[in-house]
Amino acid sequence: MSRILDQRILLLVISFSASVQSTKVLSEWKKCGDPECEKAMSRVQATTDYLGPDCRYLNFKAGEEIIVYSKLSRENENLWTGSKGKDFGYFPRDAVKVEEVLIVEEVEMLTKETDFLCLHEDKYTFE
């Protein structure tokens, strides 16, 4: 009986740590084209296929066009956020090349907790 309880506790801990990892803050700061992060900053083209580690990331194939809306800054400048059709998420900046810059002056601001939640069919997924 004790062994079964230990296994259940272990599974609970593993499940909890996986959900914490998928909603963790990736950076305290971000750069946007406007204070609401609604203006497109640039248009980029994927130079490689990319499959993200969880639902917060944008998956794409080489050659696809992505619109960039924000860039994480300071402690994690490698991740940008953008959209491809109806899909939206984070992706590494070194997986794309800039085709067109739409916003020259960037606004740096603090990120919000909602910046790091999964968005599925217009609903946030809280894990």
Side-chain angles (χ1 to χ4, degrees), residues 45-112:
Q45 184 178 39
T47 56
T48 184
D49 294 354
Y50 178 72
L51 181 62
D54 63 47
C55 59
R56 297 174 299 170
Y57 291 80
L58 181 67
N59 300 322
F60 50 79
K61 302 238 183 258
E64 291 187 304
E65 183 177 281
I66 300 164
I67 303 299
V68 178
Y69 288 94
S70 69
K71 303 171 182 179
L72 296 185
S73 61
R74 297 193 188 187
E75 65 267 15
N76 189 1
E77 295 187 352
N78 185 47
L79 289 177
W80 290 359
T81 55
S83 66
K84 172 186 68 103
K86 292 182 179 182
D87 298 328
F88 185 85
Y90 291 93
F91 59 91
R93 72 178 184 181
D94 59 359
V96 299
K97 67 178 177 181
V98 176
E99 295 284 310
E100 180 180 12
V101 175
L102 304 171
I103 297 286
V104 178
E105 192 171 324
E106 298 174 345
V107 179
E108 188 173 47
M109 65 189 72
L110 287 168
T111 58
K112 302 176 212 164

Side-chain angles (χ1 to χ4, degrees), residues 2 9 26-27 29-30 32 34-35 58 62 71 92 104 111 116 124:
S2 174
I9 290 172
L26 301 171
S27 177
W29 294 90
K30 65 182 176 181
C32 298
D34 65 292
L58 181 67
K71 303 171 182 179
V104 178
T111 58
F116 306 104
Y124 284 111

